[in-house]
Amino acid sequence: MIENVDQRSKDYSEVAKAYRPGHADYAYDAKYGFRDYRGGGRSSARETAARVAAGAVARLVIPEVRIRGYLVELGGDPIDRAVFDDSQIDANPFFCPDAAAALRWEALVDGARKSGSSLGAIIECVAEGVPPGWGAPLYAKLDSELAAAMMSINAVKGVEIGAGFGAARLTGESNADAMRPGNDGKPVFLANHAGGVAGGISTGQPVVVRVALKPTSSILTPVETIDRDGKAAEIMTKGRHDPCVGIRAAPVVEAMMALVLADQKLLHRAQCG
Amino acid sequence: MIENVDQRSKDYSEVAKAYRPGHADYAYDAKYGFRDYRGGGRSSARETAARVAAGAVARLVIPEVRIRGYLVELGGDPIDRAVFDDSQIDANPFFCPDAAAALRWEALVDGARKSGSSLGAIIECVAEGVPPGWGAPLYAKLDSELAAAMMSINAVKGVEIGAGFGAARLTGESNADAMRPGNDGKPVFLANHAGGVAGGISTGQPVVVRVALKPTSSILTPVETIDRDGKAAEIMTKGRHDPCVGIRAAPVVEAMMALVLADQKLLHRAQCG
Amino acid sequence: MIENVDQRSKDYSEVAKAYRPGHADYAYDAKYGFRDYRGGGRSSARETAARVAAGAVARLVIPEVRIRGYLVELGGDPIDRAVFDDSQIDANPFFCPDAAAALRWEALVDGARKSGSSLGAIIECVAEGVPPGWGAPLYAKLDSELAAAMMSINAVKGVEIGAGFGAARLTGESNADAMRPGNDGKPVFLANHAGGVAGGISTGQPVVVRVALKPTSSILTPVETIDRDGKAAEIMTKGRHDPCVGIRAAPVVEAMMALVLADQKLLHRAQCG
Amino acid sequence: MIENVDQRSKDYSEVAKAYRPGHADYAYDAKYGFRDYRGGGRSSARETAARVAAGAVARLVIPEVRIRGYLVELGGDPIDRAVFDDSQIDANPFFCPDAAAALRWEALVDGARKSGSSLGAIIECVAEGVPPGWGAPLYAKLDSELAAAMMSINAVKGVEIGAGFGAARLTGESNADAMRPGNDGKPVFLANHAGGVAGGISTGQPVVVRVALKPTSSILTPVETIDRDGKAAEIMTKGRHDPCVGIRAAPVVEAMMALVLADQKLLHRAQCG
């Protein structure tokens, strides 16, 4: 049980009256006939704290796997893959592997906060050490479960594996991850467009997932909306809202990766001994 | 039971010897210790015939919903949204709502076939008539289930809802779908960046999903690979392989949309009467 | 969260050394390689407190149903059905609908406690008001789910519905619940050997379930056993162990009935509107 | 796909008009608004053919387990445990381990057939070779899953494990299965009142389940009922109905035992490696 020791319910007085466009406010109310406007209730990303806790346990089940999540784009500004530095990820508050980008992002986020706006982000998560064979060809496909897990995270609007949407622009011969015999009897893959999953089953390559997070919907900029009586209104969300929820989501993405992989490892052990 | 009355097992003699890069061949064999090389066995997209059949039943459960799937990009060549014409979708073999693009795609696909290559595609699927309230805030989220369903289709490597990856590049105020009072008491949304889902629950806007399909991995162009003994080999897949599986996937995407929505309608009826 | 404010871990010093025959001690240890001997850990019937709490919520989902659980036998001494009095059930600590039997049971239980022994019991649970149609012919059968729910309660070793094991001794014509037209268009059943379920679906008759509870396995009488090292030992369980766990189980049986019926009502609403 | 090559739909002309008491007829119709009276449709025990087929596959997953199902009572006439002879089970059409009882049962069943009546039965099923540790303390309890599986078989009205309902009449010290050190380091149990399951987990003793089957509800003896319009009627079911469905159920009970154990073995392997 994680107690919220710093709630400020009065921050939500504006939200009590009208729906925040882009937020779950309206859909939740349409379904249940009520909603907890103070923080969003069950729609709040506070719920992800439990996922991160569960992910820590899941990692113990898969000690052979190393999982790393980081932002590769914030506010439309991508990192430079040429200067990717793993050691930078924990050296800035943006889980950013490109030190120069982290500096730019700091300015971007500050600007968004000052102007009452918000920004989206793209997180990449890589799991190294997954052996070939986890997953299944039809039910409990590894990629299907990863997609479900990632899309279930608050604010996520897109999920891709390996080359993802980019794969739709490649030819078959460019997208093929050619294989060569390795020294240890295992194949060496010359590329990883598959993102470590083929036909629902892990290939032994690193599992690579990217998720797109929309900009925070609670913003200080006024937006047209309606109130609970269906009348025209305008809303501006005061309080402590993050200008970029994507930053906080990196550990959640890692946790969901760990949970899916731990579950798949156990399923695989059940099936194949 | 759908009998395959036109199988040609001898087409797969090449596949018997070595793994097709990008295909499930290697991962399947790594998991189970064998594979059915004649058509791919359980990894074959033939399996999607059952999904399309099931989708037809699911549509009967949701007569209030109209589902339409179509290609918006093939081989990296996108449609022109300005000339989007619903009536064109069934007028060409590409499920393409842009007549001019359909002509260009024909040339693209012919070219790929002749050169022994293959192409990817992006399919968009829209469900109109979904009322607000289907889905749930935590488990059985509508977007999470859509992601799982779409990513489970053979060759899919990416799924996005509404603005999707594009949402990561918008500001909070641009991404917000402003609401105005409608004549029938329901809100009118001024945009649909949400793609009809917020907080895991439908908003009453059209549900919009896009999926990215990789190029067919069975190609006539030789690719480096290994054989079952781990030795270096080269593979070139003869036989009747589609130069773009994405074309065939449009009905499958529609079926998966129908299956998820039918299930969610029943779940909603159980929960909310 | 229900805190245990009265635990006495030292009562379990005997249990730490050797396995209680009839208890989960040995099986749990064989599976996991350890066990929490202080109260039984996850094998403890303390877990049923959560079921009773959940059952209270489930009852709100099925206001049309009245559920009543009571003991019909304790220590091999059955009630007299001829004097069954619903109002007696809450008038004695044995949930016993027969006042005379309750007096006898008090003596039985006192005797068992004084002699360091324990007794079993049979609980009957009746749900009135279940309309015809809840359940399904194949998956999620009402009787199958009731059996699973009841058998999952600690110490339960048998479950029967309606005439139960007695039905195996009847002829087809005796076991048939003849139907006559009722005044309200619904059938009147002339008997209830079915216990309200036929072919996995409720018939509109009261749903009647009986469960058998074994005698408490933690007893003060010494029993032969082995210790964790596999050596011969003798065990005698001190502490506050109930001489008849069956008495405490009546609310748990009611809760499980409520949980299954609430779930089936929602499933039925999903399926049949 | 198992084709029914010997259906006789005209046998069901009586059933078309009115509901058979004790059969799923009425409940199915009340739920769905229609029913397939020719054989019972989805309520037919023909469905169990698929279970037996699946059970044959499940047995391949648990080669260490030997499963044996047999009738211990028919029409209220029990076997004599003192002359139990395993080799007799396949030597008579009743799966009866007592040759003398088999002769008596033959007369009983003939008599029931001639008089247009039917009889119930009790089947016992024993699984030897199940190691300690299969199952779980809370979810997926072995005994709960066995109860669900058995109660899902057509005509079953009761399930008990080990001493079952008899355990409710024993004292704690009589019901305890005392343990002694065995030669191989494993305990030797001096009794098996537990039926091989304690706290939801297998103990290493044989798993013993008994199920009660009601007499066939389709009988030639006229019974009072109502027709689809709710009017009083009388029904007498012609056609090829078994006077004792319990006889045919023995292989089904074995199959369900195999299915549950195979599933639990895989779950255990997932959990405990």
Side-chain angles (χ1 to χ4, degrees):
Chain A
M1 194 166 75
I2 305 168
E3 296 196 7
N4 185 344
V5 295
D6 192 25
Q7 75 276 21
R8 301 189 200 164
S9 298
K10 72 175 157 43
D11 284 0
Y12 294 93
S13 52
E14 281 288 315
V15 184
K17 297 174 201 151
Y19 303 118
R20 281 166 291 179
H23 199 277
D25 288 350
Y26 171 71
Y28 195 101
D29 209 348
K31 183 177 189 81
Y32 296 112
F34 64 85
R35 68 193 161 98
D36 187 347
Y37 59 84
R38 298 158 306 169
R42 290 172 67 214
S43 304
S44 170
R46 288 176 187 85
E47 168 260 308
T48 57
R51 303 189 190 209
V52 175
V57 177
R59 280 172 195 252
L60 300 178
V61 178
I62 45 169
E64 67 272 49
V65 179
R66 180 175 171 269
I67 297 172
R68 208 71 181 93
Y70 43 87
L71 274 71
V72 292
E73 189 176 314
L74 187 153
D77 179 20
I79 61 162
D80 179 358
R81 295 266 176 184
V83 300
F84 190 106
D85 180 355
D86 202 68
S87 70
Q88 283 295 318
I89 297 172
D90 289 333
N92 62 69
F94 302 103
F95 300 99
C96 178
D98 167 354
L103 286 175
R104 298 195 306 271
W105 293 357
E106 193 171 344
L108 272 173
V109 171
D110 275 352
R113 182 184 289 113
K114 282 169 191 160
S115 65
S117 183
S118 64
L119 301 168
I122 296 177
I123 296 173
E124 185 170 274
C125 186
V126 178
E128 289 175 289
V130 177
W134 292 5
L138 207 47
Y139 300 106
K141 283 182 147 183
L142 177 55
D143 39 5
S144 174
E145 301 223 329
L146 283 169
M150 297 304 170
M151 196 67 97
S152 79
I153 301 172
N154 309 52
V156 169
K157 299 301 285 186
V159 181
E160 57 182 13
I161 293 176
F165 277 85
R169 283 141 202 161
L170 297 175
T171 59
E173 59 274 24
S174 306
N175 187 60
D177 300 331
M179 285 182 271
R180 294 285 82 190
N183 293 330
D184 57 354
K186 293 178 187 166
V188 172
F189 290 91
L190 304 185
N192 189 12
H193 295 90
V197 192
I201 301 173
S202 63
T203 61
Q205 298 162 285
V207 174
V208 181
V209 178
R210 266 180 309 282
V211 304
L213 289 110
K214 66 179 181 187
T216 319
S217 51
S218 300
I219 49 177
L220 274 163
T221 304
V223 190
E224 285 185 305
T225 188
I226 57 170
D227 62 20
R228 285 210 65 185
D229 301 322
K231 290 191 185 138
E234 195 166 75
I235 195 163
M236 198 182 92
T237 318
K238 292 171 191 164
R240 296 165 300 162
H241 299 288
D242 284 315
C244 179
V245 287
I247 302 166
R248 296 194 179 224
V252 185
V253 169
E254 286 190 352
M256 296 312 288
M257 176 72 94
L259 285 163
V260 169
L261 292 176
D263 191 44
Q264 289 281 0
K265 177 183 178 177
L266 300 189
L267 278 171
H268 180 70
R269 192 159 68 184
Q271 294 167 335
C272 301
Chain B
M1 194 165 78
I2 305 168
E3 296 196 7
N4 186 346
V5 296
D6 191 26
Q7 72 278 20
R8 302 189 200 164
S9 298
K10 69 175 159 44
D11 285 0
Y12 296 93
S13 52
E14 282 288 316
V15 183
K17 296 174 204 151
Y19 304 117
R20 283 166 290 181
H23 199 277
D25 289 348
Y26 171 71
Y28 195 102
D29 209 348
K31 183 178 189 81
Y32 296 112
F34 65 86
R35 68 193 163 98
D36 187 347
Y37 59 85
R38 299 157 307 169
R42 291 172 69 213
S43 304
S44 169
R46 289 176 187 84
E47 168 260 307
T48 58
R51 303 188 189 210
V52 175
V57 177
R59 281 173 195 251
L60 300 177
V61 178
I62 46 168
E64 67 271 50
V65 177
R66 180 175 172 271
I67 296 172
R68 209 71 182 94
Y70 43 87
L71 273 73
V72 293
E73 190 176 312
L74 187 153
D77 178 19
I79 61 163
D80 178 358
R81 295 264 175 184
V83 300
F84 190 107
D85 179 355
D86 202 67
S87 70
Q88 284 295 318
I89 297 172
D90 289 333
N92 62 69
F94 303 103
F95 301 100
C96 177
D98 168 353
L103 286 175
R104 298 195 307 269
W105 294 357
E106 195 172 342
L108 272 173
V109 171
D110 274 353
R113 182 183 290 114
K114 282 169 191 162
S115 64
S117 182
S118 64
L119 301 168
I122 296 177
I123 297 173
E124 184 169 275
C125 187
V126 177
E128 289 175 287
V130 177
W134 291 5
L138 207 46
Y139 299 105
K141 283 182 148 186
L142 177 54
D143 40 6
S144 173
E145 301 222 330
L146 284 169
M150 298 303 170
M151 195 68 96
S152 78
I153 301 171
N154 309 51
V156 170
K157 299 302 284 187
V159 181
E160 57 182 12
I161 293 177
F165 278 85
R169 284 141 200 160
L170 296 174
T171 59
E173 58 274 25
S174 306
N175 186 60
D177 300 331
M179 284 183 270
R180 293 286 80 190
N183 292 330
D184 57 354
K186 292 178 189 165
V188 172
F189 289 91
L190 304 185
N192 189 14
H193 295 90
V197 192
I201 301 173
S202 63
T203 61
Q205 298 162 286
V207 174
V208 182
V209 177
R210 265 181 309 282
V211 304
L213 290 110
K214 67 179 181 186
T216 318
S217 51
S218 298
I219 51 177
L220 275 163
T221 304
V223 190
E224 286 185 304
T225 187
I226 58 171
D227 62 20
R228 284 209 65 185
D229 301 322
K231 289 189 186 139
E234 195 165 76
I235 196 163
M236 197 181 90
T237 319
K238 292 170 192 163
R240 298 165 300 162
H241 299 288
D242 285 314
C244 178
V245 288
I247 302 166
R248 297 195 178 221
V252 186
V253 169
E254 285 191 352
M256 296 312 288
M257 175 72 93
L259 285 162
V260 169
L261 291 176
D263 192 45
Q264 289 282 359
K265 178 185 178 176
L266 301 188
L267 277 172
H268 180 69
R269 191 158 70 185
Q271 294 166 335
C272 300
Chain C
M1 194 166 78
I2 304 168
E3 297 196 7
N4 186 346
V5 295
D6 191 26
Q7 73 278 20
R8 302 189 200 165
S9 299
K10 69 176 160 44
D11 285 359
Y12 296 92
S13 52
E14 282 288 316
V15 183
K17 297 173 204 151
Y19 304 118
R20 282 165 292 180
H23 199 277
D25 289 348
Y26 171 70
Y28 196 101
D29 208 348
K31 183 177 189 80
Y32 296 112
F34 65 85
R35 69 192 160 99
D36 187 347
Y37 59 83
R38 297 158 308 168
R42 290 173 68 212
S43 304
S44 169
R46 289 176 187 84
E47 168 260 306
T48 57
R51 302 189 189 210
V52 174
V57 177
R59 280 171 195 254
L60 300 177
V61 178
I62 45 168
E64 67 272 49
V65 178
R66 179 173 173 272
I67 296 172
R68 209 71 182 92
Y70 43 85
L71 273 73
V72 293
E73 191 177 312
L74 188 152
D77 178 19
I79 61 162
D80 178 357
R81 294 267 175 182
V83 300
F84 190 106
D85 180 355
D86 202 67
S87 70
Q88 283 295 318
I89 297 171
D90 289 334
N92 60 70
F94 302 102
F95 301 100
C96 177
D98 168 353
L103 286 175
R104 298 194 307 270
W105 293 357
E106 195 172 342
L108 272 173
V109 171
D110 274 354
R113 183 185 289 112
K114 281 170 192 162
S115 64
S117 182
S118 64
L119 302 168
I122 296 177
I123 297 173
E124 185 169 276
C125 187
V126 177
E128 288 176 289
V130 177
W134 291 5
L138 207 47
Y139 300 105
K141 282 182 147 184
L142 177 54
D143 39 5
S144 174
E145 301 223 329
L146 283 170
M150 297 303 170
M151 196 68 97
S152 79
I153 300 171
N154 309 52
V156 170
K157 298 303 284 186
V159 181
E160 57 182 12
I161 293 177
F165 278 84
R169 284 141 200 161
L170 296 175
T171 59
E173 58 273 25
S174 306
N175 186 59
D177 299 331
M179 285 183 269
R180 295 285 78 192
N183 292 329
D184 57 354
K186 291 180 190 165
V188 172
F189 290 91
L190 304 185
N192 190 14
H193 296 90
V197 192
I201 301 173
S202 64
T203 60
Q205 298 162 285
V207 174
V208 182
V209 178
R210 266 181 308 283
V211 304
L213 290 111
K214 67 179 180 184
T216 319
S217 50
S218 299
I219 50 177
L220 275 163
T221 303
V223 190
E224 285 186 306
T225 187
I226 56 169
D227 63 19
R228 285 208 67 184
D229 301 322
K231 290 189 186 141
E234 196 166 75
I235 195 162
M236 197 182 93
T237 319
K238 292 170 192 163
R240 296 164 302 162
H241 299 289
D242 285 314
C244 177
V245 287
I247 302 166
R248 297 194 178 223
V252 185
V253 169
E254 285 190 353
M256 296 312 287
M257 174 73 93
L259 286 161
V260 169
L261 291 176
D263 192 44
Q264 288 282 359
K265 178 183 178 177
L266 301 188
L267 278 171
H268 180 70
R269 193 159 70 185
Q271 294 166 334
C272 299
Chain D
M1 195 166 76
I2 305 168
E3 296 197 8
N4 185 346
V5 295
D6 192 24
Q7 73 278 19
R8 301 187 200 166
S9 298
K10 70 176 158 44
D11 285 0
Y12 296 92
S13 53
E14 282 287 315
V15 183
K17 296 173 202 153
Y19 303 117
R20 281 166 291 178
H23 199 277
D25 288 349
Y26 171 71
Y28 196 101
D29 208 348
K31 183 177 189 82
Y32 295 111
F34 65 85
R35 69 195 161 96
D36 188 347
Y37 59 84
R38 299 158 307 169
R42 291 172 68 212
S43 304
S44 170
R46 289 176 187 83
E47 167 259 308
T48 57
R51 304 188 189 210
V52 175
V57 178
R59 280 171 196 253
L60 300 177
V61 179
I62 45 170
E64 67 271 51
V65 178
R66 181 175 171 270
I67 296 173
R68 209 68 182 93
Y70 43 86
L71 274 72
V72 292
E73 190 177 313
L74 188 153
D77 178 20
I79 61 162
D80 178 359
R81 295 267 175 182
V83 300
F84 190 106
D85 179 356
D86 202 66
S87 70
Q88 283 296 318
I89 297 173
D90 288 334
N92 61 71
F94 303 103
F95 301 99
C96 178
D98 167 353
L103 286 176
R104 297 194 310 267
W105 293 356
E106 195 172 343
L108 271 174
V109 171
D110 275 352
R113 183 184 289 113
K114 282 169 191 162
S115 64
S117 182
S118 64
L119 302 168
I122 296 177
I123 297 172
E124 186 169 274
C125 188
V126 177
E128 290 175 288
V130 177
W134 291 5
L138 208 47
Y139 299 106
K141 284 181 146 185
L142 177 54
D143 39 6
S144 174
E145 301 222 329
L146 283 170
M150 297 303 170
M151 195 67 98
S152 80
I153 300 172
N154 308 50
V156 170
K157 299 301 285 184
V159 182
E160 56 182 14
I161 293 177
F165 278 86
R169 284 142 201 159
L170 296 175
T171 59
E173 58 274 26
S174 306
N175 187 59
D177 299 332
M179 284 184 271
R180 295 285 79 190
N183 294 330
D184 57 353
K186 292 178 189 167
V188 172
F189 290 91
L190 305 185
N192 189 11
H193 295 90
V197 191
I201 301 173
S202 64
T203 60
Q205 299 163 285
V207 174
V208 181
V209 178
R210 266 181 309 282
V211 304
L213 290 111
K214 66 179 181 187
T216 318
S217 51
S218 299
I219 50 176
L220 275 163
T221 303
V223 190
E224 286 186 305
T225 187
I226 57 170
D227 63 20
R228 285 209 65 184
D229 301 322
K231 289 188 186 140
E234 196 165 73
I235 195 163
M236 198 180 92
T237 318
K238 292 170 191 164
R240 298 165 300 162
H241 300 288
D242 285 315
C244 179
V245 288
I247 302 165
R248 296 194 179 223
V252 186
V253 168
E254 285 190 352
M256 297 311 289
M257 176 72 94
L259 286 162
V260 169
L261 291 177
D263 192 45
Q264 289 281 359
K265 178 184 177 176
L266 301 189
L267 278 170
H268 181 70
R269 193 159 69 185
Q271 294 166 334
C272 300

